[in-house]
Amino acid sequence: MSQGLLYCNFRTRTRVPRALVEHLKLDIKLVDPEDQPTEFARDFPLKKVPGMVLPDGSKLTEVIAISYYLIGLSSDHLAKEQLAGSNIEERAQVLRWMSLTNSELLVLFAKILKPLIGQAPYIKPQADTFEAKIEAVTASFEARLSTHTYLATEQVSLADLFAFTVFGKCFENIFGSKWRAAHPAIMRWFNTVKDVTYLRELSKKYELCDEPLPLPQSNKKKESKKESKKETKPPAPVAKAPTATEEPVEQKKPKHPLELLGKATFPLDDWKRKYSNEDTRTGALPWFWENYNPDEYSLWKVDFKYNDELTLTFMSNNLVGGFFNRLSGSVKYMFGSLVVFGENNDNGITGAVMVRGQDFAPAFDVAPDWESYSYTKLDPSKPEDKDFIGNMWAWDKPVTVDGRDREIADGKVLK
Ligand SMILES: N[C@@H](CCC(=O)N[C@@H](CS)C(=O)NCC(=O)O)C(=O)O
């Protein structure tokens, strides 16, 4: 009998549970909430991952509880003891570091990141507080790791696996090279844990950023204006602290750079409706080629750069879903589709996207992960490029990659 069902996707808290299922060879069904949205919302009204349905129908939430439950299912006693701790002291230390990672490090990371990627307003005093708090939290990791190889015990435990996935996200987005140089013990530990089999297979290589993500554009301007006026202006009256309902002036959204190109004659919204409502080959595509205006829109082949790090096809498709979500700020200037070709543990991501203007960057660079993809301009006057675009938008034929015909396993449309 199956040992249960685990809802997981690309989000950070699902990585360790998924790794445990794979490495402990548990008979657990992995389901993406997007594939069973009704059941997921019914069973997990908070709609957070990970969530587990146990064989008796009861529900389990919280990454720490789920991780312990999964380990408990394994018959591998050595692995169990190593990961969860072999006595009460060790188990308590594992829980301690997992909890600190989950409720402090990861939460502060999200609070710092969201304003930088446009998901929350940027309020400087709040941002400063979060920065100070995350510095204090990471200082306790640095202190522990200055005198010990691992976080909780003398071996790699669950705490290391989980903290690794969270630090990985921090290094990609907010802890740049300067920060990392100032935390040598954390870096030594991160590089040691990186090679643990539990993580090697499921985690993509984290691309450590040099510089943290920049402040939102409007804030940067405001800040430098303030700086230059500092000496000439009398002291400003004490500013009223922003309340939840009161957006500071700085929050005004900057215009999208593609707005400057003016209104296009090609009716993008009509095209998106046609694509959704009509048969792609016989209805939508003929209309598209009749109306497409290459002076207004360019067409791009988009390829994921790290196909050899992809594992399950549904996870690759989630990656595309996440990328498209992060492109939402530009979607009114874009249309396209990326597909996942191949099968589990041998798949890749490619596709065709149309963007306003002749450059891909202004449309794509709103997504923090846009540089994980390569962009090659397509010329629809060439039959092979035109065919590629049609195939990527119709999904009805295998795609040829490096001379191999690969079946399309899944895909997502950006519209
Ligand atoms: N307390 C929960 C938090 C779970 C959680 O927030 N998961 C995030 C992904 S890392 C999520 O599903 N967020 C979706 C949302 O908040 O709507 C736990 O520790 O597992």
Side-chain angles (χ1 to χ4, degrees):
M1 192 179 87
S2 154
Q3 293 170 297
L5 178 155
L6 173 66
Y7 282 103
C8 55
N9 51 20
F10 59 93
R11 307 289 295 263
T12 304
R13 286 187 178 90
T14 67
R15 291 186 160 242
V16 166
R18 219 173 33 230
L20 293 172
V21 168
E22 284 173 18
H23 283 269
L24 299 172
K25 302 201 170 27
L26 303 176
D27 183 14
I28 304 266
K29 193 171 168 209
L30 302 177
V31 177
D32 180 349
E34 271 192 19
D35 293 337
Q36 291 189 10
T38 317
E39 292 88 337
F40 179 62
R42 182 196 62 208
D43 290 343
F44 300 97
L46 295 181
K47 296 196 193 161
K48 296 200 176 202
V49 287
M52 258 199 93
V53 184
L54 306 187
D56 67 357
S58 58
K59 315 295 177 301
L60 190 58
T61 62
E62 309 307 306
V63 57
I64 302 176
I66 288 175
S67 302
Y68 265 80
Y69 179 83
L70 294 173
I71 289 178
L73 292 178
S74 169
S75 48
D76 181 343
H77 290 287
L78 279 179
K80 265 179 172 169
E81 292 202 344
Q82 178 186 332
L83 291 172
S86 58
N87 55 41
I88 182 75
E89 285 81 15
E90 283 193 358
R91 281 196 285 277
Q93 290 293 351
V94 174
L95 283 172
R96 167 197 172 190
W97 286 101
M98 288 195 83
S99 178
L100 185 71
T101 303
N102 195 38
S103 58
E104 301 288 336
L105 184 62
L106 184 45
V107 169
L108 287 164
F109 163 68
K111 284 183 171 162
I112 293 170
L113 181 73
K114 281 185 177 174
L116 304 181
I117 57 173
Q119 288 184 0
Y122 178 87
I123 299 169
K124 184 156 181 4
Q126 279 186 2
D128 289 347
T129 309
F130 298 146
E131 298 270 353
K133 284 189 174 167
I134 208 166
E135 207 36 64
V137 171
T138 52
S140 58
F141 282 81
E142 182 70 16
R144 160 78 194 183
L145 294 167
S146 302
T147 51
H148 294 80
T149 312
Y150 298 111
L151 283 174
T153 66
E154 295 309 316
Q155 290 179 293
V156 169
S157 73
L158 260 184
D160 298 294
L161 301 187
F162 186 48
F164 174 89
T165 62
V166 178
F167 271 106
K169 294 305 289 180
C170 292
F171 295 154
E172 283 187 324
N173 296 283
I174 61 167
F175 293 161
S177 41
K178 220 160 112 194
W179 189 99
R180 297 197 298 274
H183 297 80
I186 292 179
M187 293 322 294
R188 192 269 313 142
W189 160 85
F190 186 80
N191 288 321
T192 309
V193 178
K194 196 162 69 182
D195 288 327
V196 171
T197 10
Y198 277 87
L199 294 165
R200 213 173 37 219
E201 286 166 27
L202 97 152
S203 340
K204 59 186 174 111
K205 259 184 235 130
Y206 289 102
E207 278 203 29
L208 314 194
C209 65
D210 285 337
E211 292 293 329
L213 288 175
L215 294 187
Q217 209 55 38
S218 55
N219 289 91
K220 269 205 288 197
K221 277 193 208 133
K222 199 83 186 174
E223 294 264 300
S224 57
K225 246 194 214 161
K226 265 196 242 156
E227 287 294 310
S228 59
K229 284 186 180 165
K230 238 183 208 165
E231 282 148 11
T232 50
K233 269 211 145 186
V238 177
K240 229 168 94 196
T243 62
T245 51
E246 193 183 5
E247 290 255 306
V249 189
E250 285 95 339
Q251 301 317 313
K252 265 197 185 160
K253 258 193 159 177
K255 265 197 178 159
H256 195 293
L258 291 176
E259 196 69 41
L260 299 174
L261 296 182
K263 203 168 155 38
T265 57
F266 176 81
L268 185 61
D269 287 338
D270 287 357
W271 158 243
K272 289 181 181 180
R273 263 190 301 277
K274 281 227 172 294
Y275 180 83
S276 304
N277 298 332
E278 295 189 16
D279 177 74
T280 307
R281 288 284 178 201
T282 58
L285 280 173
W287 183 94
F288 178 81
W289 292 122
E290 240 167 69
N291 290 278
Y292 170 65
N293 180 345
D295 296 333
E296 295 181 335
Y297 285 90
S298 51
L299 289 153
W300 297 85
K301 179 172 189 289
V302 179
D303 292 286
F304 186 58
K305 288 185 193 164
Y306 310 107
N307 285 342
D308 53 348
E309 289 170 18
L310 299 173
T311 54
L312 306 182
T313 53
F314 91 82
M315 285 165 54
S316 308
N317 208 37
N318 283 341
L319 196 76
V320 175
F323 182 43
F324 283 2
N325 287 339
R326 290 182 283 279
L327 284 171
S328 62
S330 287
V331 77
K332 64 176 181 167
Y333 306 102
M334 309 171 85
F335 169 84
S337 150
L338 295 188
V339 302
V340 178
F341 59 81
E343 54 274 318
N344 286 343
N345 300 316
D346 180 17
N347 59 80
I349 296 170
T350 188
V353 177
M354 174 175 78
V355 304
R356 180 80 173 97
Q358 302 304 319
D359 184 8
F360 62 93
F364 281 98
D365 74 359
V366 298
D369 50 344
W370 71 293
E371 286 171 310
S372 299
Y373 296 80
S374 62
Y375 304 86
T376 315
K377 199 163 193 175
L378 293 164
D379 174 358
S381 68
K382 291 188 185 150
E384 63 274 23
D385 284 8
K386 190 171 176 183
D387 261 10
F388 178 77
I389 296 161
N391 292 346
M392 287 300 98
W393 293 353
W395 303 8
D396 55 357
K397 288 184 187 167
V399 42
T400 310
V401 182
D402 298 331
R404 265 169 90 195
D405 279 349
R406 311 295 306 274
E407 291 298 331
I408 293 177
D410 219 333
K412 297 232 184 246
V413 176
L414 174 70
K415 59 181 168 121

